[in-house]
Amino acid sequence: MAEKEIFYLGPKTSYTDVAKEKLKEQFNLTEYIDIEKPTITAVTNEIQKTENIKSLAVLPIENSIEGIVKESIDNIARVNDNGIKIIAECVIPINHCLITYAKEISQINTIVSHPQAISQCFDYIYNTFGDNVVYKSESSTANAVKNISPKDTNICAIGSKYSADYYNKPVVREDINDEKFNQTRFLLLGREELHSSESDYKTSITFSTENKSGALCDILNILRNYDINMSYISSRPSKKSLGEYTFYIDFDGKITDDKVSKAMFEVLQHTAMFKHLGSYPKAIL
């Protein structure tokens, strides 16, 4: 039988790697081998085509400052294997550092990192460098840190101290993110429910409605009528027609709970497309 794999957005020391390790510890996933992938799309593709149905995938889904990770929610919604669900989540604190071989801050004219990390540190960057820098995007903060070299004395990376220590890169400033309460939520995808002693669950769904007045309100009223607490909502273009959207919602409870199952039956009557993405233990904060 093929090995049990856990796919994640790499490289080693990315925040997704940190989340992966936390999830492996929490659910005792000791038999899994780590497989890093360069993009979120590659991660979701791999879990769909792997030969071992017990394999898992870890994706970032939401940051407390920047909001939804668009590539993740688009890919989760497009997964064509209905057996693959969200089976767990965790939350990781984000602490960015300025990492560079420059002897003086004034030497730096280029900043390299993941676009979200740059956005999360924008006030610090502007106050430190003004308009005198250019930005280069990397697929992850870990790659940004990994790829700078001693010859890059005019370049700095934004990433974690964990990455800097692991790749032996010099940290010149710590905790440079503008909001100190900066957290990212990560999801674990798989085909089998994980056993948890946690009693509090949440459910994620995605759906589309007819493009008419009050269509979304009808859905939200159903949740209210069943006293179901919604914790998150976002919309994404349907990519089929201008002005059409799909919605992503998180709410308290499991899909098998009596009031949730009744509510979802009613929701189905008001949607053009509906998909249950998973019911899973809430993150331990």
Side-chain angles (χ1 to χ4, degrees):
M1 187 175 183
E3 291 183 293
K4 291 189 287 187
E5 306 143 317
I6 184 163
F7 304 101
Y8 72 101
L9 177 63
K12 179 71 177 175
T13 76
S14 67
Y15 285 110
T16 311
D17 179 27
V18 176
K20 168 184 62 66
E21 291 302 312
K22 182 175 181 178
L23 288 162
K24 287 176 73 173
E25 180 181 1
Q26 181 179 347
F27 294 101
N28 194 30
L29 305 173
T30 57
E31 298 178 0
Y32 283 77
I33 61 169
D34 300 343
I35 307 290
E36 66 178 57
K37 290 294 169 181
T39 65
I40 288 168
T41 299
V43 172
T44 53
N45 286 344
E46 287 298 326
I47 192 174
Q48 291 185 83
K49 67 184 185 183
T50 181
E51 294 180 4
N52 194 320
I53 62 171
K54 293 183 179 293
S55 290
L56 305 170
V58 184
L59 297 174
I61 188 64
E62 177 193 4
N63 177 262
S64 59
I65 309 301
E66 295 297 313
I68 198 77
V69 180
K70 297 174 183 178
E71 187 182 358
S72 289
I73 191 58
D74 286 350
N75 272 279
I76 293 170
R78 284 198 297 264
V79 167
N80 55 28
D81 184 338
N82 290 328
I84 296 174
K85 302 290 186 186
I86 304 167
I87 59 173
E89 67 172 2
C90 72
V91 175
I92 299 295
I94 306 299
N95 296 299
H96 294 308
C97 299
L98 198 68
I99 300 157
T100 182
Y101 286 96
K103 299 300 181 185
E104 302 289 340
I105 292 291
S106 58
Q107 293 178 256
I108 297 169
N109 60 25
T110 302
I111 295 176
V112 182
S113 195
H114 188 278
Q116 276 209 343
I118 291 172
S119 295
Q120 292 163 15
C121 303
F122 189 77
D123 287 349
Y124 170 84
I125 293 169
Y126 187 80
N127 291 334
T128 304
F129 302 101
D131 295 319
N132 301 317
V133 289
V134 297
Y135 303 99
K136 291 187 177 180
S137 295
E138 268 284 7
S139 59
S140 70
T141 55
N143 264 333
V145 175
K146 179 182 178 181
N147 291 336
I148 61 168
S149 70
K151 66 181 181 181
D152 298 323
T153 55
N154 65 327
I155 296 175
C156 75
I158 292 176
S160 70
K161 191 173 186 303
Y162 175 37
S163 289
D165 291 344
Y166 184 84
Y167 294 112
N168 195 27
K169 311 287 183 174
V171 174
V172 296
R173 296 285 189 280
E174 294 187 31
D175 297 326
I176 66 169
N177 28 293
D178 300 327
E179 300 294 335
K180 302 312 174 188
F181 185 75
N182 187 355
Q183 297 179 317
T184 296
R185 183 165 63 98
F186 295 83
L187 300 179
L188 182 66
L189 305 183
R191 293 178 177 84
E192 297 182 352
E193 185 175 349
L194 293 175
H195 298 291
S196 173
S197 59
E198 297 302 309
S199 58
D200 292 334
Y201 273 70
K202 69 164 58 171
T203 291
S204 297
I205 62 172
T206 186
F207 61 89
S208 62
T209 65
E210 292 185 46
N211 190 8
K212 65 178 185 180
S213 175
L216 177 60
C217 188
D218 290 339
I219 305 297
L220 300 183
N221 279 335
I222 292 170
L223 297 182
R224 182 188 64 181
N225 292 341
Y226 281 92
D227 193 29
I228 294 172
N229 178 50
M230 184 178 67
S231 57
Y232 187 84
I233 182 170
S234 68
S235 64
R236 297 288 295 136
S238 68
K239 301 183 180 180
K240 296 179 180 178
S241 178
L242 185 65
E244 289 186 0
Y245 294 89
T246 59
F247 298 93
Y248 173 91
I249 285 180
D250 292 340
F251 55 82
D252 291 349
K254 295 182 71 171
I255 196 72
T256 53
D257 292 345
D258 186 54
K259 71 175 182 179
V260 173
S261 62
K262 289 178 179 178
M264 292 304 99
F265 179 78
E266 290 191 25
V267 167
L268 281 168
Q269 317 311 309
H270 296 269
T271 56
M273 179 279 292
F274 176 92
K275 187 175 183 180
H276 170 233
L277 300 178
S279 296
Y280 48 96
K282 284 185 177 182
I284 300 173
L285 301 179

